[in-house]
Amino acid sequence: MSEQIIKAEFSEVMQKSYIDYAMSVICSRALPDVRDGLKPVQRRVLYAMDELGLRFDRPHRKSARIVGDTMGKYHPHGDSSIYDALVVMSQEFKKGMALVDGHGNFGSIEGDGAAAMRYTEARLQKITQEAYLADLDKNVVDFIPNFDETEREPEVLPVKIPNLLVNGADGIAVGMTTSIPPHNLGEVIDAVKAYMRKESITNEELMEYLPGPDFPTGGLVVNKKELLDIYSSGTGKLKLRGKVVFEPAKKRGEKDKLVITEIPYTMIGNNIAKFLSDVVGLIETKKTTDILDISNESSKEGIRIVLELRKGADVERLKNLLYKKTKLEDTFGVNMLAIVDGKPETLSLKDIIACHTHFHYEVTTRKYKTLLAKLYDQKEIREGLILACDMIDLIIEIIRGSNSQKEVKACLTKGETGDIRFRSSDSMIEASKLHFTEKQAAAILDLRLHRLIGLEIQALREEYDEICKKIAEYEDILSNPSSMKRVIRKELDGLKKEFQRERRTVIEDGKAAVYVEAPLKQEQIYFVMDRFGYSKTFDKATYERNKENVRKDYKYVVPCMNTDKICIFTNQGTMHQVKALDIPAGKYRDKGTPIDNLSNYNSGKEAIIEVMAAESVISSSFLFVTAQGMLKIMDGIELKAAKRTVASTKLMGGDELIRIIPVSMDPDLEDKVILQTKGGVFLKFLLSDVPAKKKAAIGVKGIKLTKDDMISEVYVMEAQQISSIMYKKKKLEFNKLKLSKRDTKGSKIRR
């Protein structure tokens, strides 16, 4: 067969391929179906567990077996995603109703991960068995081939409740995300029943039954007035708060306590540890002095985070501080996106309930059609058996006179007497009138003799009457919408009665947390950093007591105000800023904190050349000098910025900043600059020869360097109050150096 080359536009091929990939992720991985509220992996895990017979009343089975069956038969995307889905469906602190009953370590609300799948066990919850997987054998949903067409799996599970609302959903697809909060089962069922009574019901009317989300962690939703807009549009933000309780001291020696008994849903996991860390940070930075101690006393019984308070603490102000500065108040982004008829759609509350209710009607209709077909078969068979009992002597005569089962069936269904031996011609005439159906004939041949007892025949007639009643009932359900609604409502009422629980989340219009920071008392402090980069601050008294030792032990000693920032200049031309309040205060003997941990400075990639207070930086002018001899004078106001890291100057490739020296711009001063190179060349010229430049400028050339030489030191005589240095163990007087021009070769000093 000859090859064919198909020409195609590259951009069109890429566009089509990307759209195909995106839709595959959206529909087959990341987003739930509005009908059962499940993602494909969740649906497949539950179906695999049902196939394994892991009912709620049977023993647990190893999670590894469940994951293996799911991956091998239905979900060929790796075991970690399957086990993660299994774990989440078992975690009651994440789901409104847990669908899996886990046995073993399935993680904790504080962010601990589940044990490996080989250690844990699982089975279905009772509600999963009764409301999610029931009636799968009654042709209630379509089955589709699995990935390799060796098995069949349900396209969707016949879920009887709007799981999309009860358990919520979250997922990230390509170009879209879904985030639906969980709700209270009883309230959701009440809302569904209200929709069934009046399909023109509005979202506002539905919210009389379902007022808002019900998170498993409890807490408070404090923007009640915005909920109608959120549930009408399908998008918005819920404002969540934890529940805080004040516990006064009960006996002498105890402290008053502020206890957090419920947390926002967004705080579950590692954010609990982050909250504790944030509270410690508030104490260390003296944002509050009301908290004496913090402890996490949470257990299996629930959350209990205890803050011990000093006597006379302002509790309301402290609550507002926690709401403003920590995750105790947070937002939950709502985006009610789900798959509807194979396409992603953003849905309102009514849309979700309507889509699921119509699906529930379809499932119930298919169920009763299947049951009705079975009843018709049973009715047909019972009619045949009852009739056969009335003429049992004739049937026995036909059986005894026949040579084969085929002859008997032909006689019973078509009246063909053929070679059958009858005792009399009357019997033959009666036999020729028989017209049982194939199913009736088969049932007659399978009839056991004990069924001919009088009581058994009576029971057969009673069975027939019961079947007829059921047929009439099922036909009424299928033909009468009110009867169908009555059946569905009865199912929902049963589920509500058995599985509903009290609402845990309070919904209210809470007052905005208002916290006004007390004005910080300004005081002078001293920032110190040793040659290893360990830093801290001293108060003035500590510094004065240890002044001589501080100057001797620390490379940088910078006086500043506690409201100021510390500016760290590096050889890469960057300036890192850190607030003085963010630098832990220490005693003289304390080691301090690495400056890398307090700022964006990276000691592995850059070196510090100068440290100054921000106030002194923006009020001064500076001479910038690089290793390749580039110079410029820059006004410090250029470096005023809110960012933690800014570029202080521009460098040429391979160059680095070596000195930043504060200088005076007084034209009458006639200050002088001395450049010293590694090769021993000195050049002296007037500071006024160096032009003022912006921070984005490289500068001008200060000295003509030989090939392998570079600047090693810079001196500004008046600014640094220096007139001589020791060079090669001899004193070098700067006044004896010849005054030259900038950008000349300079003089080599030989000793």
Side-chain angles (χ1 to χ4, degrees):
M1 182 178 178
S2 60
E3 291 185 357
Q4 282 187 325
I5 297 175
I6 301 173
K7 292 184 179 181
E9 179 64 36
F10 181 74
S11 61
E12 292 178 2
V13 173
M14 288 297 294
Q15 184 179 16
K16 182 179 182 302
S17 299
Y18 188 77
I19 289 173
D20 291 345
Y21 159 73
M23 289 305 296
S24 174
V25 172
I26 290 166
C27 297
S28 303
R29 298 290 293 275
L31 300 187
D33 193 296
V34 70
R35 294 172 292 179
D36 61 3
L38 298 170
K39 298 179 188 179
V41 64
Q42 295 170 325
R43 185 180 304 121
R44 288 163 176 169
V45 167
L46 295 179
Y47 181 64
M49 292 178 74
D50 188 52
E51 288 287 282
L52 285 169
L54 302 184
R55 294 176 53 86
F56 64 90
D57 53 358
R58 293 181 184 174
H60 296 81
R61 190 79 68 88
K62 283 288 184 186
S63 300
R65 172 63 191 275
I66 299 167
V67 172
D69 266 37
T70 306
M71 182 168 60
K73 291 182 177 180
Y74 312 116
H75 196 75
H77 296 295
D79 57 352
S80 60
S81 62
I82 298 171
Y83 187 52
D84 287 347
L86 177 68
V87 168
V88 170
M89 286 193 291
S90 73
Q91 293 176 327
E92 292 190 349
F93 53 86
K94 282 190 179 178
K95 293 292 181 184
M97 298 291 295
L99 303 180
V100 172
D101 177 13
H103 183 66
N105 176 14
F106 275 84
S108 74
I109 194 171
E110 296 184 12
D112 302 316
M117 68 179 82
R118 61 183 178 276
Y119 299 120
T120 60
E121 299 177 343
R123 65 183 176 189
L124 294 168
Q125 291 277 14
K126 187 176 183 181
I127 188 173
T128 316
Q129 196 70 47
E130 295 184 3
Y132 287 70
L133 295 161
D135 302 326
L136 272 174
D137 58 339
K138 296 181 177 64
N139 189 34
V140 290
V141 292
D142 293 333
F143 277 70
I144 57 176
N146 69 337
F147 61 92
D148 62 358
E149 299 188 359
T150 58
E151 302 278 345
R152 296 185 71 77
E153 60 178 311
E155 182 183 28
V156 66
L157 294 185
V159 181
K160 298 176 181 178
I161 54 176
N163 181 59
L164 201 61
L165 291 174
V166 173
N167 275 325
D170 63 273
I172 301 173
V174 179
M176 57 185 69
T177 62
T178 185
S179 179
I180 304 173
H183 296 78
N184 184 275
L185 174 66
E187 294 174 355
V188 170
I189 288 175
D190 289 341
V192 171
K193 288 162 62 180
Y195 173 80
M196 291 171 64
R197 287 193 296 270
K198 177 186 172 185
E199 292 195 2
S200 61
I201 194 170
T202 64
N203 283 297
E204 187 174 6
E205 290 170 329
L206 281 171
M207 289 184 68
E208 294 176 10
Y209 303 93
L210 196 157
D214 185 24
F215 294 102
T217 55
L220 296 85
V221 174
V222 294
N223 58 334
K224 182 179 180 180
K225 62 185 178 183
E226 298 175 17
L227 293 186
L228 179 58
D229 288 338
I230 293 172
Y231 281 112
S232 298
S233 64
T235 59
K237 288 185 178 180
L238 300 170
K239 187 177 286 186
L240 312 181
R241 283 183 186 170
K243 185 177 180 182
V244 183
V245 179
F246 176 68
E247 292 184 1
K250 294 180 180 178
K251 52 187 176 182
R252 194 172 181 180
E254 282 190 355
K255 300 281 193 302
D256 291 343
K257 296 175 182 176
L258 206 58
V259 182
I260 297 156
T261 57
E262 296 175 5
I263 59 174
Y265 186 65
T266 52
M267 197 193 282
I268 58 177
N270 295 329
N271 281 333
I272 293 180
K274 176 71 166 54
F275 169 74
L276 298 174
S277 174
D278 288 345
V279 174
V280 172
L282 293 175
I283 299 169
E284 288 180 346
T285 56
K286 295 185 173 59
K287 287 280 196 311
T288 179
T289 56
D290 289 339
I291 301 174
L292 299 177
D293 191 21
I294 179 171
S295 58
N296 186 1
E297 299 177 5
S298 303
S299 62
K300 290 182 179 179
E301 281 68 46
I303 293 292
R304 183 177 170 83
I305 299 172
V306 180
L307 310 179
E308 286 192 2
L309 309 180
R310 68 171 175 81
K311 191 173 182 180
D314 187 339
V315 175
E316 283 304 314
R317 186 173 185 276
L318 183 55
K319 281 184 183 180
N320 287 334
L321 173 65
L322 294 175
Y323 288 145
K324 293 292 283 185
K325 300 292 184 181
T326 71
K327 286 279 187 181
L328 195 60
E329 179 177 290
D330 203 1
T331 57
F332 180 95
V334 176
N335 186 24
M336 298 201 293
L337 186 74
I339 302 298
V340 182
D341 295 330
K343 297 180 293 184
E345 286 187 23
T346 301
L347 305 167
S348 67
L349 174 63
K350 181 182 176 180
D351 292 337
I352 293 175
I353 291 175
C355 288
H356 180 269
T357 303
H358 295 157
F359 170 65
H360 199 173
Y361 282 152
E362 180 188 337
V363 166
T364 307
T365 300
R366 291 179 64 164
K367 171 186 173 181
Y368 281 102
K369 281 184 176 179
T370 302
L371 291 175
L372 191 60
K374 290 181 179 179
L375 285 176
Y376 278 130
D377 288 345
Q378 292 173 14
K379 179 187 176 188
E380 179 184 333
I381 290 169
R382 296 301 185 281
E383 286 175 342
L385 291 177
I386 291 170
L387 184 59
C389 288
D390 290 340
M391 56 177 66
I392 191 65
D393 293 335
L394 175 62
I395 290 173
I396 291 173
E397 188 176 342
I398 292 170
I399 292 171
R400 294 188 67 182
S402 299
N403 296 316
S404 66
Q405 187 171 318
K406 185 177 179 181
E407 282 186 355
V408 177
K409 273 193 175 182
C411 182
L412 292 175
T413 56
K414 301 175 185 177
E416 295 178 1
T417 55
D419 297 332
I420 300 175
R421 298 179 299 279
F422 291 95
R423 291 179 180 177
S424 66
S425 58
D426 291 340
S427 297
M428 181 182 292
I429 294 169
E430 288 297 322
S432 64
K433 297 177 181 178
L434 295 178
H435 56 275
F436 289 101
T437 66
E438 289 286 340
K439 291 177 182 177
Q440 289 173 336
I444 290 168
L445 289 174
D446 291 338
L447 184 66
R448 296 187 178 185
L449 292 177
H450 76 84
R451 295 299 299 271
L452 302 178
I453 300 171
L455 290 176
E456 286 291 329
I457 295 173
Q458 181 62 30
L460 192 62
R461 294 183 184 277
E462 289 175 357
E463 283 178 18
Y464 177 75
D465 292 340
E466 185 64 30
I467 288 170
C468 289
K469 285 180 184 178
K470 283 187 177 181
I471 288 174
E473 179 187 346
Y474 292 174
E475 285 179 339
D476 178 59
I477 290 170
L478 290 170
S479 60
N480 191 339
S482 61
S483 299
M484 175 72 76
K485 289 180 180 179
R486 186 179 65 251
V487 169
I488 293 175
R489 278 198 296 267
K490 185 178 179 181
E491 276 186 344
L492 294 175
D493 287 338
L495 293 172
K496 178 182 175 181
K497 183 178 180 180
E498 185 169 2
F499 299 110
Q500 77 165 342
R501 53 180 150 194
E502 292 296 318
R503 165 171 278 279
R504 288 167 285 194
T505 299
V506 176
I507 297 175
E508 62 184 20
D509 277 320
K511 294 181 181 178
V514 178
Y515 173 74
V516 179
E517 291 189 30
L520 184 67
K521 183 182 176 182
Q522 287 194 355
E523 58 183 28
Q524 188 177 41
I525 59 173
Y526 289 83
F527 169 81
V528 297
M529 184 168 68
D530 62 19
R531 60 194 180 93
F532 300 108
Y534 285 88
S535 59
K536 57 191 170 186
T537 59
F538 292 140
D539 57 37
K540 189 173 182 180
T542 303
Y543 173 75
E544 293 294 342
R545 284 197 306 270
N546 303 278
K547 184 186 295 186
E548 291 184 8
N549 289 329
V550 168
R551 292 286 177 184
K552 183 171 59 177
D553 294 342
Y554 292 95
K555 184 176 181 181
Y556 297 102
V557 179
V558 180
C560 64
M561 302 304 291
N562 58 347
T563 55
D564 204 354
K565 295 178 182 178
I566 300 299
C567 297
I568 301 162
F569 294 89
T570 75
N571 63 335
Q572 299 299 312
T574 55
M575 182 187 79
H576 303 292
Q577 296 189 102
V578 55
K579 291 180 181 178
L581 286 173
D582 292 341
I583 303 169
K587 298 178 181 178
Y588 177 70
R589 296 293 178 189
D590 292 344
K591 188 173 184 181
T593 305
I595 196 66
D596 301 52
N597 297 350
L598 301 172
S599 67
N600 292 337
Y601 169 69
N602 186 337
S603 57
K605 296 182 179 179
E606 49 191 344
I608 296 172
I609 60 169
E610 190 59 75
V611 178
M612 288 180 271
E615 283 298 325
S616 64
V617 169
I618 62 176
S619 61
S620 306
S621 296
F622 298 91
L623 174 67
F624 282 70
V625 184
T626 73
Q628 293 181 11
M630 302 306 293
L631 313 175
K632 72 176 179 181
I633 292 175
M634 190 175 78
D635 195 337
I637 197 70
E638 287 268 320
L639 298 173
K640 186 175 182 180
K643 293 181 180 178
R644 286 166 59 89
T645 299
V646 296
S648 63
T649 188
K650 187 176 181 180
L651 298 172
M652 294 190 298
D655 201 0
E656 65 178 8
L657 193 63
I658 62 165
R659 291 289 179 272
I660 300 171
I661 303 171
V663 295
S664 171
M665 298 300 289
D666 186 352
D668 298 328
L669 191 59
E670 290 193 347
D671 208 346
K672 300 173 184 67
V673 179
I674 293 94
L675 301 181
Q676 177 186 346
T677 73
K678 284 188 175 181
V681 175
F682 286 80
L683 178 63
K684 177 180 170 184
F685 54 89
L686 291 173
L687 178 64
S688 57
D689 288 349
V690 182
K693 298 280 186 181
K694 299 290 186 182
K695 69 177 182 179
I698 294 174
V700 297
K701 203 156 192 176
I703 186 173
K704 289 183 178 176
L705 295 169
T706 57
K707 185 178 180 181
D708 297 323
D709 208 359
M710 64 176 60
I711 302 292
S712 60
E713 289 293 342
V714 183
Y715 309 99
V716 182
M717 293 178 64
E718 293 293 335
Q720 295 178 296
Q721 295 182 355
I722 186 169
S723 60
S724 64
I725 60 168
M726 294 301 295
Y727 180 67
K728 292 189 177 179
K729 299 182 180 180
K730 290 186 180 181
K731 191 175 183 180
L732 174 63
E733 295 284 351
F734 288 156
N735 286 334
K736 293 183 179 180
L737 292 174
K738 177 185 174 184
L739 184 64
S740 302
K741 293 289 185 183
R742 178 184 60 78
D743 196 19
T744 55
K745 290 186 177 180
S747 304
K748 189 172 181 70
I749 304 297
R750 303 180 185 276
R751 295 284 173 96

